[in-house]
Amino acid sequence: MQKTALVRQLTATRTFLYSEAALSPQEDISMETPEWLKPGIYGAVIGAAAIGIGGFTWGGWVTGGTANDRAMAMAHDDVVAAMVPVCVDMARTDPDRAAKLATIRDASTFRRRDALMEAGWATVPGAEAPDRDIAQACLASLDVDALPERPETAADEG
């Protein structure tokens, strides 16, 4: 019996809460906001947009993707710079150096990188194929036009 009375009371309360009498137009339950709030919010939003535009345009800010791209490019450049001494050493210790240098010298300026790659000097240990960027950096480091055609020996150094 008590259970039935409790169910009736809950149903009546729920009906009252959702009825129009509970939300009569005489009762104003809206929150009053200060007059300065709306211009303040507009100012904050416009200021945030201006700072964002200025930061990304002139402030040097970048997105995560751009930062990752720049980091990858710098890492690649560092790896190429680290591999140039290996390429130069391979060129200096190659027993067929004179013939390969002559082939590189005889190639046109824009074909010299390919000739250096065919010589095998741009293929770093552990790689299967030569690297074009390493070949270009090695070519600049070798200064092919200034090198003597004969291999250097210990007797030449004195």
Side-chain angles (χ1 to χ4, degrees):
M1 183 84 163
Q2 288 181 355
K3 189 176 181 182
T4 309
L6 183 61
V7 170
R8 284 184 194 156
Q9 186 180 7
L10 287 174
T11 306
T13 305
R14 187 175 56 175
T15 305
F16 176 75
L17 288 175
Y18 293 116
S19 69
E20 291 182 25
L23 300 174
S24 64
Q26 291 86 16
E27 296 178 24
D28 187 16
I29 59 172
S30 65
M31 187 173 116
E32 292 186 26
T33 59
E35 291 180 24
W36 56 266
L37 186 62
K38 194 173 189 180
I41 290 174
Y42 285 146
V45 169
I46 292 170
I51 288 174
I53 290 169
F56 281 104
T57 303
W58 299 292
W61 299 354
V62 294
T63 62
T66 302
N68 187 34
D69 293 344
R70 289 181 184 176
M72 294 301 286
M74 287 174 34
H76 178 75
D77 293 345
D78 290 343
V79 168
V80 168
M83 290 294 127
V84 168
V86 174
C87 175
V88 171
D89 186 53
M90 289 170 66
R92 288 192 179 145
T93 59
D94 192 347
D96 196 25
R97 177 181 180 194
K100 289 180 181 179
L101 278 175
T103 304
I104 293 171
R105 277 192 196 105
D106 292 341
S108 60
T109 307
F110 63 91
R111 290 269 185 199
R112 285 187 174 184
R113 178 177 57 188
D114 295 332
L116 190 134
M117 290 170 61
E118 289 173 8
W121 297 341
T123 306
V124 295
E128 294 180 15
D131 186 278
R132 297 183 71 80
D133 295 328
I134 293 174
Q136 187 67 40
C138 185
L139 191 61
S141 180
L142 281 175
D143 194 20
V144 177
D145 293 325
L147 287 176
E149 288 193 24
R150 60 185 176 88
E152 296 175 10
T153 61
D156 291 340
E157 294 176 3

